[in-house]
Amino acid sequence: MKVLFIGDIVGNTGRKAVKQLLPELKQKYNPHIIIANAENAAGGRGVTGAIVKEFLDLGVHGFTMGNHTWDNKDIFEWIDEEPRMVRPANFPEGTPGKGHTVIKANGKELVIINLQGRTFLPAIDCPFQKADDILRGLGKKPRAILVDFHAEATSEKIAMGWHLDGRASLVVGTHTHVQTNDDTILPNGTAYLTDVGMVGSREGVLGMEREAVLRKFRTQLPVRFVVDEGKWQFHALVVEIDEATGKATKLDKIRIREGEWMMS
Ligand SMILES: [Fe+2]
Ligand SMILES: [Fe+2]
């Protein structure tokens, strides 16, 4: 089976890019299941029910989140009833929502798991142990499993790749918004990429207006970041998974820049 995974979609600029590109990408790659990280989809902070609906209508089947999960309060209204969204599984006990779920589409089944790193991010529960707990609960039968590890430090992400090698089909990083060039299939069959990159403006800083970010760096004063409306860039990946074994057979990075149309 083929899975298309789209990195952090940042605000209106990112949503515009997804809307524009998805029909073409579906044609080119024929993915059975499409998953997107939606933690920045609403003005860079969190996501709303209306935006989730917008993505579902475009053909996205499931969503992962991250440290911005709770930034838009709208999410508290529906996350417990939304079966297609996961937030980091290692958030404290009692947090709304869930950390893993099964996405079914086009006759295929994909387990999606969201975890968050603890290096340069809040000290939540251990993502490595939480991954073990979830995988234990899923049983021994081989399954297609996608892990979105939302983390800052490349070392923590690489370590998670090794930790889950042979136990997940894909371990992909999100959160840093910049696509890394270390895509590989680990020795025991787990496809791995440290960060898939974001979908948002390429004229700002990580999707936000550069002037505000620069002001913050220069003055250290509190600044309100706003989504940049410049030309977009789109980052995603396509992974092919052998359902009989749960192992990945192929990983393709996707990087497209508005006005350049570079596909790799
Ligand atoms: Fe993000
Ligand atoms: Fe993040």
Side-chain angles (χ1 to χ4, degrees):
M1 69 185 281
K2 269 195 202 178
V3 176
L4 170 66
F5 180 78
I6 303 168
D8 311 43
I9 300 164
V10 185
N12 189 39
T13 312
R15 300 205 307 276
K16 201 171 64 182
V18 172
K19 202 171 195 174
Q20 199 169 327
L21 285 175
L22 254 193
E24 195 176 325
L25 291 171
K26 279 197 237 175
Q27 226 171 19
K28 180 173 161 118
Y29 292 101
N30 265 312
H32 298 96
I33 296 185
I34 303 174
I35 307 295
N37 184 297
E39 74 146 5
N40 306 114
R45 299 175 196 85
V47 68
T48 64
I51 290 173
V52 164
K53 165 118 184 23
E54 185 183 311
F55 287 138
L56 289 168
D57 290 345
L58 289 172
V60 178
H61 302 107
F63 303 90
T64 57
M65 296 293 284
N67 55 308
H68 290 293
T69 302
W70 314 120
D71 289 2
N72 193 306
K73 304 300 172 235
D74 188 76
I75 197 168
F76 292 105
E77 304 292 319
W78 47 265
I79 190 166
D80 280 326
E81 282 82 50
E82 176 49 72
R84 295 158 293 198
M85 172 167 286
V86 290
R87 45 83 181 149
N90 52 325
F91 278 178
E93 200 70 42
T95 304
K98 60 205 149 310
H100 73 282
T101 194
V102 182
I103 302 293
K104 294 179 188 172
N106 296 307
K108 306 289 183 190
E109 257 191 50
L110 176 72
V111 178
I112 59 171
I113 302 173
N114 199 186
L115 295 162
Q116 186 169 305
R118 297 191 293 184
T119 309
F120 313 124
L121 279 169
I124 50 176
D125 295 349
C126 175
F128 296 86
Q129 285 179 18
K130 183 51 85 173
D132 291 345
D133 291 348
I134 294 170
L135 291 171
R136 209 175 299 122
L138 292 173
K140 286 215 160 64
K141 191 177 126 244
R143 311 180 71 153
I145 300 173
L146 177 156
V147 176
D148 171 356
F149 189 31
H150 197 82
E152 182 77 44
T154 50
S155 57
E156 196 175 10
K157 288 161 144 170
I158 292 168
M160 184 61 84
W162 288 117
H163 183 62
L164 297 179
D165 182 23
R167 298 193 290 156
S169 315
L170 169 72
V171 175
V172 58
T174 54
H175 178 69
T176 63
H177 290 201
V178 177
Q179 189 175 78
T180 57
N181 197 22
D182 59 341
D183 49 306
T184 186
I185 296 185
L186 297 170
N188 294 312
T190 296
Y192 175 81
L193 177 62
T194 293
D195 204 290
V196 64
M198 67 154 179
V199 182
S201 172
R202 66 182 164 94
E203 297 177 357
V205 178
L206 306 184
M208 307 313 265
E209 269 183 12
R210 60 179 182 248
E211 277 313 318
V213 179
L214 273 166
R215 203 177 317 126
K216 172 84 189 171
F217 276 119
R218 285 193 300 239
T219 65
Q220 298 300 314
L221 290 168
V223 165
R224 184 170 167 79
F225 294 155
V226 198
V227 168
D228 192 77
E229 302 279 341
K231 282 189 178 151
W232 51 254
Q233 51 185 339
F234 178 98
H235 294 101
L237 64 78
V238 174
V239 63
E240 288 187 37
I241 301 166
D242 176 351
E243 295 149 83
T245 61
K247 295 188 191 298
T249 52
K250 196 165 184 272
L251 176 61
D252 283 318
K253 296 198 299 290
I254 300 173
R255 175 183 191 229
I256 307 171
R257 287 154 68 90
E258 185 175 9
E260 291 180 17
W261 303 95
M262 262 188 342
M263 271 202 206
S264 59

